[in-house]
């Protein structure tokens, strides 16, 4: 004879408790995100004038060993003229590193010869622009509108905080970050030049 164990289905009271727990956890998480973004946007900047090209070159050099170990071609194409901005280089390097690392993750499923991430800097009127372009599958259309929101991630084990914080930092610098698909994903960070 077989013994069948069946867990009793929760009654209405238990369901209400479970839903209340989920609601409380959601509110707590939302408050954590709100405070974190508020902290990041109000954190005292160590503002200084610098050439954005230098920051981009330094960031790519810093990540080149990781790209090499993952068999990814990491290219840099800086603009020949200086792109002088006023900002916190440490915070902006954090943004750029996050975007480049995401691009590296995006190309890992490609054959080795097709794994590439290219970082370019350009001038667009009164803005310096950094483009991080990868040869991955691109960002699904439904994800493109949510990718900078807290807790949204396209990765299996992602927390969904990196790009949300990146957007907060870029916005605090009076800049803009967005993504589009063009044979892979292209993240574009625009920062105002020093007048």
């Amino acid at each position: 004879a077989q013994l069948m164990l069946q867990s009793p289905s929760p009654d209405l009271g238990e369901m209400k408790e479970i839903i209340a727990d989920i609601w409380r956890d959601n509110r707590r998480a939302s408050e954590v995100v709100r405070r974190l973004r508020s902290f990041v946007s109000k954190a005292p900047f160590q503002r200084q004038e610098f050439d954005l090209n230098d920051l981009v070159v330094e960031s790519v050099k810093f990540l080149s060993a990781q790209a090499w170990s993952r068999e990814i071609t990491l290219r840099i194409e800086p603009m020949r003229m200086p792109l002088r901005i006023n900002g916190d280089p440490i915070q902006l390097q954090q943004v750029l590193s996050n975007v480049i690392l995401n691009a590296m993750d995006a190309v890992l499923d490609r054959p080795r010869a097709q794994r590439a991430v290219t970082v370019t800097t350009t001038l667009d009127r009164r803005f310096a622009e950094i483009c991080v372009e990868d040869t991955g599958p691109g960002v699904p259309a439904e994800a493109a509108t949510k990718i900078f929101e807290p807790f949204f991630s396209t990765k299996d084990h992602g927390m969904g905080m990196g790009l949300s914080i990146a957007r907060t930092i870029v916005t605090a610098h009076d800049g803009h970050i967005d993504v589009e698909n063009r044979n892979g994903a292209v993240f574009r960070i625009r920062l105002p030049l020093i007048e």
Side-chain angles (χ1 to χ4, degrees):
Q2 286 185 325
L3 179 62
M4 298 283 286
L5 290 177
Q6 188 173 1
S7 59
S9 41
D11 63 18
L12 191 57
E14 286 177 305
M15 287 297 285
K16 283 182 179 175
E17 277 183 45
I18 291 168
I19 290 169
D21 282 347
I22 292 169
W23 179 252
R24 273 194 301 276
D25 288 346
N26 184 41
R27 290 198 47 185
R28 254 196 310 270
S30 296
E31 181 61 17
V32 167
V33 170
R34 190 190 66 74
R35 287 185 185 181
L36 182 59
R37 292 180 79 179
S38 175
F39 170 75
V40 169
S41 62
K42 291 176 184 161
F45 281 7
Q46 302 298 315
R47 279 194 182 269
Q48 61 189 71
E49 291 187 15
F50 62 95
D51 183 353
L52 192 62
N53 288 317
D54 294 340
L55 180 114
V56 172
V57 168
E58 189 180 310
S59 300
V60 170
K61 278 184 184 172
F62 178 71
L63 294 171
S64 61
Q66 196 162 348
W68 182 82
S69 71
R70 297 167 94 180
E71 299 177 306
I72 297 167
T73 302
L74 180 58
R75 298 186 195 97
I76 180 165
E77 297 171 8
M79 193 165 187
R80 292 189 185 275
M81 64 174 283
L83 296 170
R84 305 289 302 170
I85 68 163
N86 187 358
D88 185 324
I90 292 173
Q91 286 195 1
L92 290 172
Q93 191 163 40
Q94 192 177 8
V95 169
L96 186 56
S97 296
N98 182 278
V99 173
I100 293 171
L101 286 169
N102 283 350
M104 284 194 216
D105 289 345
V107 301
L108 279 179
D109 290 339
R110 291 287 190 241
R112 192 182 341 168
Q114 295 174 21
R115 293 181 197 161
V117 175
T118 304
V119 185
T120 58
T121 61
T122 56
L123 178 67
D124 182 16
R125 294 182 295 272
R126 295 196 313 270
F127 285 86
E129 194 170 271
I130 305 168
C131 283
V132 179
E133 190 167 353
D134 66 56
T135 55
V139 179
E142 65 275 9
T145 57
K146 301 176 190 168
I147 204 161
F148 296 103
E149 291 177 12
F151 300 122
F152 182 84
S153 180
T154 56
K155 300 177 189 176
D156 290 339
H157 304 291
M159 286 180 57
M161 290 301 295
L163 287 175
S164 173
I165 291 170
R167 182 178 63 180
T168 301
I169 291 171
V170 171
T171 302
H173 280 80
D174 300 317
H176 184 73
I177 182 170
D178 62 22
V179 63
E180 67 176 90
N181 287 318
R182 195 173 59 206
N183 302 324
V186 182
F187 281 83
R188 185 174 285 106
I189 301 164
R190 288 163 54 84
L191 297 161
L193 291 164
I194 294 170
E195 303 264 339

